[in-house]
């Protein structure tokens, strides 16, 4: 079992294997691991893995506080499905301020119904709206928010519509490559 692993010159923290989604494009559906970096200089610490990091939010918060204190305010990013408030049954975005620098949220699709088909969330139909609300709250709490889609899952027209959603929220938009 690995908790720390290197990808793209960053240190990733795999806090849990629990996730309320079963996304059709998720790497954990087809892979057991993700490759190692060949460089020692790390740009940021990234909470990610084969589970949703906010499933272990209290531990993530504790580790992030330790990293900030010990490593001279090292930049920290969390890659999330945006269901952290649903999972924790409270608004955790206020707790992220000062600990997490960047929140990368999987937007996945601009259409609520298509999104739900893709992510297959245990939270059902409210998931999309809650993910959008989570992003808005992160922005309101001063966090850098990047919302992403996977390049193989939607059309260029849909990507343009996702960019409009992000612009309205105040988030950046990134199309991430499918990694196999």
């Amino acid at each position: 079992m690995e908790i720390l692993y290197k990808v793209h010159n960053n240190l990733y923290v795999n806090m849990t294997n629990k996730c309320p989604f079963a996304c059709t494009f998720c790497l954990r559906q087809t892979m057991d691991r993700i490759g190692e970096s060949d460089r020692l200089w790390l740009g940021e610490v990234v909470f990610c893995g084969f589970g949703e990091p906010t499933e272990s939010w209290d531990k993530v918060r504790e580790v992030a506080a330790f990293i900030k204190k010990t490593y001279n305010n090292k930049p920290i990013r969390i890659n999330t499905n945006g269901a952290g408030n649903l999972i924790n049954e409270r608004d955790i975005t206020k707790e992220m301020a000062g600990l997490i620098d960047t929140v990368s949220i999987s937007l996945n699709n601009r259409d609520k119904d298509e999104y739900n088909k893709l992510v297959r969330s245990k939270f059902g139909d409210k998931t999309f709206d809650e993910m959008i609300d989570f992003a808005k709250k992160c922005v309101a709490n001063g966090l850098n928010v990047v919302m992403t889609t996977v390049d193989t899952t939607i059309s260029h027209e849909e990507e343009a519509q996702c960019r409009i959603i992000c612009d309205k929220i105040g988030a950046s938009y990134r199309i991430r490559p499918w990694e196999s």
Side-chain angles (χ1 to χ4, degrees):
M1 178 178 86
E2 287 189 64
I3 295 173
L4 302 175
Y5 61 103
K6 292 177 246 170
V7 177
H8 306 300
N9 303 321
N10 296 314
L11 179 65
Y12 281 62
V13 182
N14 184 26
M15 292 296 290
T16 181
N17 286 159
K18 291 173 60 178
C19 184
F21 292 6
C23 298
T24 56
F25 55 84
C26 184
L27 295 177
R28 73 189 223 151
Q29 307 296 336
T30 59
M31 300 174 67
D32 290 330
R33 63 183 184 89
I34 299 173
E36 289 284 320
S37 170
D38 61 355
R39 295 182 60 183
L40 297 177
W41 297 106
L42 304 174
E44 66 183 344
V45 174
V46 182
F47 289 95
C48 188
F50 273 16
E52 166 55 36
T54 61
E55 285 276 2
S56 296
W57 172 243
D58 291 336
K59 292 176 187 169
V60 168
R61 187 177 60 211
E62 183 180 339
V63 171
F66 173 81
I67 291 166
K68 285 290 186 187
K69 180 179 177 186
T70 308
Y71 295 99
N72 198 26
N73 217 23
K74 173 76 64 190
I76 298 175
R77 182 177 83 218
I78 188 167
N79 292 353
T80 177
N81 58 28
N85 291 347
L86 285 169
I87 292 164
N88 291 280
E89 300 177 340
R90 69 181 192 275
D91 180 6
I92 64 170
T93 63
K94 293 175 184 173
E95 299 168 29
M96 291 179 163
L99 293 178
I100 307 296
D101 300 289
T102 300
V103 181
S104 180
I105 302 170
S106 297
L107 174 59
N108 299 321
N109 199 293
R110 52 82 174 112
D111 180 77
K112 181 178 180 174
D113 293 333
E114 290 301 315
Y115 170 89
N116 287 332
K117 286 180 194 173
L118 269 175
V119 305
R120 304 180 296 192
S121 169
K122 76 175 190 177
F123 298 110
D125 289 341
K126 65 182 176 180
T127 306
F128 180 83
D129 294 332
E130 290 289 333
M131 176 269 302
I132 295 293
D133 185 62
F134 181 82
K136 289 176 181 177
K137 287 178 177 172
C138 285
V139 169
N141 282 294
L143 302 166
N144 176 43
V145 177
V146 179
M147 299 184 82
T148 67
T149 57
V150 177
D151 63 0
T152 60
T153 60
I154 60 176
S155 70
H156 294 302
E157 292 80 18
E158 291 169 317
E159 290 171 349
Q161 292 168 341
C162 287
R163 185 174 305 282
I164 291 168
I165 290 171
C166 293
D167 289 346
K168 286 181 181 176
I169 291 172
S172 299
Y173 178 57
R174 183 172 80 84
I175 302 165
R176 64 185 198 270
W178 166 255
E179 295 191 37
S180 56

